[in-house]
PDB file of all heavy atoms in Angstrom:
ATOM      1  N   LYS A  44      84.645  34.534-153.543  1.00 97.00           N
ATOM      2  CA  LYS A  44      83.647  35.574-153.248  1.00 97.00           C
ATOM      3  C   LYS A  44      84.006  36.335-151.976  1.00 97.00           C
ATOM      4  O   LYS A  44      83.914  37.560-151.917  1.00 97.00           O
ATOM      5  CB  LYS A  44      82.257  34.942-153.094  1.00 97.00           C
ATOM      6  CG  LYS A  44      81.402  35.080-154.336  1.00 97.00           C
ATOM      7  CD  LYS A  44      80.004  34.520-154.126  1.00 97.00           C
ATOM      8  CE  LYS A  44      79.054  35.500-153.465  1.00 97.00           C
ATOM      9  NZ  LYS A  44      77.754  34.867-153.135  1.00 97.00           N
ATOM     10  N   PHE A  45      84.412  35.561-150.971  1.00 97.00           N
ATOM     11  CA  PHE A  45      84.768  36.175-149.684  1.00 97.00           C
ATOM     12  C   PHE A  45      85.974  37.105-149.840  1.00 97.00           C
ATOM     13  O   PHE A  45      85.971  38.241-149.367  1.00 97.00           O
ATOM     14  CB  PHE A  45      85.043  35.067-148.658  1.00 97.00           C
ATOM     15  CG  PHE A  45      85.460  35.556-147.299  1.00 97.00           C
ATOM     16  CD1 PHE A  45      84.671  36.426-146.564  1.00 97.00           C
ATOM     17  CD2 PHE A  45      86.668  35.126-146.726  1.00 97.00           C
ATOM     18  CE1 PHE A  45      85.056  36.869-145.299  1.00 97.00           C
ATOM     19  CE2 PHE A  45      87.062  35.560-145.467  1.00 97.00           C
ATOM     20  CZ  PHE A  45      86.262  36.436-144.755  1.00 97.00           C
ATOM     21  N   LEU A  46      87.003  36.612-150.568  1.00 97.00           N
ATOM     22  CA  LEU A  46      88.214  37.434-150.750  1.00 97.00           C
ATOM     23  C   LEU A  46      87.910  38.697-151.551  1.00 97.00           C
ATOM     24  O   LEU A  46      88.476  39.758-151.313  1.00 97.00           O
ATOM     25  CB  LEU A  46      89.314  36.624-151.442  1.00 97.00           C
ATOM     26  CG  LEU A  46      89.911  35.472-150.625  1.00 97.00           C
ATOM     27  CD1 LEU A  46      90.960  34.728-151.439  1.00 97.00           C
ATOM     28  CD2 LEU A  46      90.522  35.970-149.318  1.00 97.00           C
ATOM     29  N   ALA A  47      86.967  38.568-152.502  1.00 97.00           N
ATOM     30  CA  ALA A  47      86.662  39.710-153.367  1.00 97.00           C
ATOM     31  C   ALA A  47      85.721  40.711-152.697  1.00 97.00           C
ATOM     32  O   ALA A  47      85.636  41.851-153.121  1.00 97.00           O
ATOM     33  CB  ALA A  47      86.045  39.207-154.671  1.00 97.00           C
ATOM     34  N   ASN A  48      85.022  40.263-151.676  1.00 97.00           N
ATOM     35  CA  ASN A  48      84.044  41.151-151.041  1.00 97.00           C
ATOM     36  C   ASN A  48      84.418  41.502-149.599  1.00 97.00           C
ATOM     37  O   ASN A  48      85.171  42.421-149.363  1.00 97.00           O
ATOM     38  CB  ASN A  48      82.649  40.531-151.115  1.00 97.00           C
ATOM     39  CG  ASN A  48      82.167  40.417-152.552  1.00 97.00           C
ATOM     40  OD1 ASN A  48      81.824  41.415-153.167  1.00 97.00           O
ATOM     41  ND2 ASN A  48      82.184  39.214-153.087  1.00 97.00           N
ATOM     42  N   GLU A  49      83.898  40.717-148.661  1.00 96.00           N
ATOM     43  CA  GLU A  49      84.091  41.052-147.241  1.00 96.00           C
ATOM     44  C   GLU A  49      85.565  41.197-146.864  1.00 96.00           C
ATOM     45  O   GLU A  49      85.932  42.024-146.024  1.00 96.00           O
ATOM     46  CB  GLU A  49      83.454  39.990-146.338  1.00 96.00           C
ATOM     47  CG  GLU A  49      81.933  39.904-146.406  1.00 96.00           C
ATOM     48  CD  GLU A  49      81.439  39.015-147.548  1.00 96.00           C
ATOM     49  OE1 GLU A  49      82.281  38.565-148.370  1.00 96.00           O
ATOM     50  OE2 GLU A  49      80.211  38.789-147.628  1.00 96.00           O
ATOM     51  N   ALA A  50      86.424  40.342-147.468  1.00 96.00           N
ATOM     52  CA  ALA A  50      87.827  40.314-147.056  1.00 96.00           C
ATOM     53  C   ALA A  50      88.712  41.214-147.917  1.00 96.00           C
ATOM     54  O   ALA A  50      89.936  41.225-147.778  1.00 96.00           O
ATOM     55  CB  ALA A  50      88.349  38.877-147.095  1.00 96.00           C
ATOM     56  N   LYS A  51      88.100  41.976-148.806  1.00 96.00           N
ATOM     57  CA  LYS A  51      88.872  42.834-149.710  1.00 96.00           C
ATOM     58  C   LYS A  51      89.693  43.855-148.907  1.00 96.00           C
ATOM     59  O   LYS A  51      89.178  44.464-147.962  1.00 96.00           O
ATOM     60  CB  LYS A  51      87.908  43.558-150.651  1.00 96.00           C
ATOM     61  CG  LYS A  51      88.609  44.090-151.864  1.00 96.00           C
ATOM     62  CD  LYS A  51      87.634  44.561-152.897  1.00 96.00           C
ATOM     63  CE  LYS A  51      88.418  45.226-154.017  1.00 96.00           C
ATOM     64  NZ  LYS A  51      87.577  46.080-154.819  1.00 96.00           N
ATOM     65  N   GLY A  52      90.963  44.002-149.276  1.00 96.00           N
ATOM     66  CA  GLY A  52      91.803  44.993-148.599  1.00 96.00           C
ATOM     67  C   GLY A  52      92.332  44.549-147.248  1.00 96.00           C
ATOM     68  O   GLY A  52      92.916  45.338-146.511  1.00 96.00           O
ATOM     69  N   THR A  53      92.143  43.298-146.888  1.00 97.00           N
ATOM     70  CA  THR A  53      92.667  42.774-145.620  1.00 97.00           C
ATOM     71  C   THR A  53      93.884  41.894-145.903  1.00 97.00           C
ATOM     72  O   THR A  53      94.263  41.716-147.061  1.00 97.00           O
ATOM     73  CB  THR A  53      91.619  41.898-144.896  1.00 97.00           C
ATOM     74  OG1 THR A  53      91.430  40.708-145.672  1.00 97.00           O
ATOM     75  CG2 THR A  53      90.298  42.625-144.742  1.00 97.00           C
ATOM     76  N   ASN A  54      94.447  41.330-144.833  1.00 97.00           N
ATOM     77  CA  ASN A  54      95.582  40.413-145.014  1.00 97.00           C
ATOM     78  C   ASN A  54      95.141  38.963-145.167  1.00 97.00           C
ATOM     79  O   ASN A  54      95.959  38.045-145.150  1.00 97.00           O
ATOM     80  CB  ASN A  54      96.522  40.506-143.802  1.00 97.00           C
ATOM     81  CG  ASN A  54      97.193  41.865-143.741  1.00 97.00           C
ATOM     82  OD1 ASN A  54      97.518  42.443-144.779  1.00 97.00           O
ATOM     83  ND2 ASN A  54      97.371  42.372-142.534  1.00 97.00           N
ATOM     84  N   ILE A  55      93.836  38.756-145.267  1.00 98.00           N
ATOM     85  CA  ILE A  55      93.306  37.393-145.342  1.00 98.00           C
ATOM     86  C   ILE A  55      93.723  36.737-146.655  1.00 98.00           C
ATOM     87  O   ILE A  55      93.681  37.364-147.710  1.00 98.00           O
ATOM     88  CB  ILE A  55      91.766  37.430-145.216  1.00 98.00           C
ATOM     89  CG1 ILE A  55      91.377  37.984-143.829  1.00 98.00           C
ATOM     90  CG2 ILE A  55      91.156  36.050-145.443  1.00 98.00           C
ATOM     91  CD1 ILE A  55      89.938  38.445-143.710  1.00 98.00           C
ATOM     92  N   VAL A  56      94.157  35.479-146.567  1.00 97.00           N
ATOM     93  CA  VAL A  56      94.487  34.727-147.778  1.00 97.00           C
ATOM     94  C   VAL A  56      93.486  33.585-147.913  1.00 97.00           C
ATOM     95  O   VAL A  56      92.799  33.232-146.958  1.00 97.00           O
ATOM     96  CB  VAL A  56      95.935  34.177-147.754  1.00 97.00           C
ATOM     97  CG1 VAL A  56      96.938  35.316-147.723  1.00 97.00           C
ATOM     98  CG2 VAL A  56      96.152  33.232-146.568  1.00 97.00           C
ATOM     99  N   GLY A  57      93.431  33.011-149.114  1.00 97.00           N
ATOM    100  CA  GLY A  57      92.486  31.927-149.339  1.00 97.00           C
ATOM    101  C   GLY A  57      93.199  30.672-149.800  1.00 97.00           C
ATOM    102  O   GLY A  57      94.381  30.710-150.163  1.00 97.00           O
ATOM    103  N   ALA A  58      92.479  29.560-149.773  1.00 97.00           N
ATOM    104  CA  ALA A  58      93.019  28.304-150.298  1.00 97.00           C
ATOM    105  C   ALA A  58      91.905  27.578-151.029  1.00 97.00           C
ATOM    106  O   ALA A  58      90.747  27.629-150.626  1.00 97.00           O
ATOM    107  CB  ALA A  58      93.574  27.456-149.169  1.00 97.00           C
ATOM    108  N   LYS A  59      92.310  26.889-152.110  1.00 95.00           N
ATOM    109  CA  LYS A  59      91.324  26.180-152.933  1.00 95.00           C
ATOM    110  C   LYS A  59      91.288  24.693-152.622  1.00 95.00           C
ATOM    111  O   LYS A  59      90.463  23.966-153.146  1.00 95.00           O
ATOM    112  CB  LYS A  59      91.660  26.369-154.424  1.00 95.00           C
ATOM    113  CG  LYS A  59      91.514  27.797-154.916  1.00 95.00           C
ATOM    114  CD  LYS A  59      90.047  28.185-154.964  1.00 95.00           C
ATOM    115  CE  LYS A  59      89.829  29.609-155.437  1.00 95.00           C
ATOM    116  NZ  LYS A  59      90.403  29.899-156.753  1.00 95.00           N
ATOM    117  N   SER A  60      92.264  24.256-151.815  1.00 97.00           N
ATOM    118  CA  SER A  60      92.266  22.848-151.417  1.00 97.00           C
ATOM    119  C   SER A  60      92.829  22.794-150.013  1.00 97.00           C
ATOM    120  O   SER A  60      93.483  23.743-149.557  1.00 97.00           O
ATOM    121  CB  SER A  60      93.158  22.034-152.351  1.00 97.00           C
ATOM    122  OG  SER A  60      94.517  22.426-152.164  1.00 97.00           O
ATOM    123  N   LEU A  61      92.577  21.679-149.332  1.00 97.00           N
ATOM    124  CA  LEU A  61      93.123  21.538-147.981  1.00 97.00           C
ATOM    125  C   LEU A  61      94.652  21.473-148.033  1.00 97.00           C
ATOM    126  O   LEU A  61      95.328  21.987-147.141  1.00 97.00           O
ATOM    127  CB  LEU A  61      92.547  20.288-147.305  1.00 97.00           C
ATOM    128  CG  LEU A  61      91.065  20.387-146.913  1.00 97.00           C
ATOM    129  CD1 LEU A  61      90.558  19.053-146.373  1.00 97.00           C
ATOM    130  CD2 LEU A  61      90.826  21.486-145.880  1.00 97.00           C
ATOM    131  N   GLU A  62      95.197  20.874-149.107  1.00 97.00           N
ATOM    132  CA  GLU A  62      96.658  20.809-149.262  1.00 97.00           C
ATOM    133  C   GLU A  62      97.237  22.218-149.306  1.00 97.00           C
ATOM    134  O   GLU A  62      98.211  22.527-148.621  1.00 97.00           O
ATOM    135  CB  GLU A  62      97.053  20.064-150.556  1.00 97.00           C
ATOM    136  CG  GLU A  62      96.852  18.563-150.536  1.00 97.00           C
ATOM    137  CD  GLU A  62      95.391  18.145-150.770  1.00 97.00           C
ATOM    138  OE1 GLU A  62      94.527  19.045-150.975  1.00 97.00           O
ATOM    139  OE2 GLU A  62      95.108  16.939-150.730  1.00 97.00           O
TER     140      GLU A  62
END
Side-chain angles (χ1 to χ4, degrees):
K44 260 183 84 187
F45 178 57
L46 292 178
N48 295 287
E49 294 85 353
K51 199 169 174 199
T53 68
N54 293 324
I55 297 163
V56 297
K59 294 290 179 57
S60 67
L61 289 175
E62 287 79 1

